[in-house]
Amino acid sequence: HRHLLGIEPLSQSDITSILDLADKYVALNRSAHKHSDALAGLTQINMFFENSTRTQASFELAGKRLGADVMNMAMGASSIKKGETLVDTALTLNAMHPDLLVVRHGSSGAVDLLAQKVNCAVLNAGDGSHEHPTQALLDALTIRRAKGRLHRLSIAICGDIAHSRVARSNIMLLGKMENRVRLIGPPTLMPSQIDEFGVEVFDDMREGLEGVDVVMMLRLQKERMDGGFIPSEREYYHRFGLTAEKLAHAKPDAIVMHPGPMNRGVEIDGEIADDVTRSVIQEQVEMGVAVRMAAMDLLARNLRESRAAAASKD
Ligand code: CP
């Protein structure tokens, strides 16, 4: 693959290769010398048009640990504010010969469009409600390490599914790896094309969580509800917030996940989020750096191979 735009085009073996390499980077990141030269000589530009803590910081650290020259564009201070379009901005940066472009944008499909205009590898760091592939990969690595496998697990994804690129990418990845996915949430926050997903749907947390191995909570994405129905936080917590009493319906060794940012007391009880016997939320963050290192390393290998092949034809 030339780019990482989504989970959709990836095969089971693509996913396994990324996770296997990421496992090696977890060991590197835990060592005293967190450095490799896998991206030495390459330039990585991070363009985040939407706010981020985890994804932006981990892509930056990942690039630096692999020896790339990393530049973070402050998009709020860029000439986008003067009316320059996304495509013109990308073409401008492309003329500076980056090798890896990491892009987060509020519009679904914006990152795919940009990938068609530039001649470097593009990684989707989240586009609208469409895909967030590195999040699904880091979630998969977290599950595989906690459960010892990434197949034949029962996984509940709970909350605002309709607006969640994390849910879409996870549903695709977990389905490709032959897991059983359940979606739990209010019908108003379920996507309209739910039948395409091949998942079970519940609007009752206790029923949906019965016997699951993994409980994945999502944030209410109010910023994407533009004028539509926004549930009251109190009512939402009562029905869909993860509490000890609701979690007791899952398997006794079920893990609790959340991609962050987390709203304590809205979708999850703070005590559960902090309970390290159940919650793997901090492990998810750790896996994020390793997965992004693996994804950029593999794309850089493909980039070097295609450049070498092109050079040998000249
Ligand atoms: N999970 C995630 O994408 O978090 P950020 O928005 O902080 O990057």
Side-chain angles (χ1 to χ4, degrees), residues 265-305:
V266 181
E267 70 267 6
I268 190 166
D269 173 8
E271 279 187 30
I272 291 184
D274 295 336
D275 175 1
V276 293
T277 66
R278 307 303 295 269
S279 162
V280 293
I281 294 170
Q282 298 307 321
E283 279 88 339
Q284 287 174 270
V285 178
E286 181 186 5
M287 296 309 122
V289 181
V291 152
R292 287 162 182 135
M293 289 165 88
M296 290 198 290
D297 181 350
L298 292 170
L299 288 180
R301 292 181 203 185
N302 295 344
L303 190 70
R304 286 184 166 124
E305 270 174 30

Side-chain angles (χ1 to χ4, degrees), residues 48 51-57 104 125 132 135 138 165-166 219 258-261 292:
F48 280 68
N51 290 353
S52 170
T53 296
R54 282 145 285 268
T55 313
Q56 197 277 335
R104 169 170 287 189
H132 192 352
Q135 179 69 47
L138 77 86
R165 54 198 179 204
V166 175
R219 181 175 67 87
H258 194 304
R292 287 162 182 135

Side-chain angles (χ1 to χ4, degrees), residues 167-273:
R168 279 181 62 84
S169 290
N170 264 304
I171 291 165
M172 279 186 265
L173 189 154
L174 295 168
K176 279 175 196 271
M177 302 310 283
E178 295 169 20
N179 296 285
R180 285 183 58 184
V181 178
R182 299 178 181 184
L183 305 181
I184 314 174
T188 47
L189 295 177
M190 283 292 161
S192 49
Q193 72 282 28
I194 198 84
D195 294 341
E196 293 168 19
F197 288 141
V199 293
E200 292 175 272
V201 180
F202 297 84
D203 65 1
D204 181 273
M205 283 287 276
R206 293 166 188 84
E207 208 183 307
L209 290 179
E210 202 59 53
V212 300
D213 299 287
V214 177
V215 183
M216 193 181 287
M217 302 308 299
L218 299 172
R219 181 175 67 87
L220 270 184
Q221 308 223 353
K222 290 184 179 172
E223 73 276 20
R224 299 196 207 284
M225 294 184 187
D226 44 50
F229 173 73
I230 300 181
S232 103
E233 290 187 355
R234 232 178 102 145
E235 171 70 6
Y236 185 83
Y237 182 67
H238 176 66
R239 288 196 57 202
F240 297 102
L242 187 65
T243 56
E245 182 271 316
K246 292 185 191 116
L247 181 59
H249 289 260
K251 281 196 183 142
D253 63 351
I255 55 169
V256 174
M257 306 179 73
H258 194 304
M262 178 163 63
N263 290 136
R264 291 168 185 259
V266 181
E267 70 267 6
I268 190 166
D269 173 8
E271 279 187 30
I272 291 184

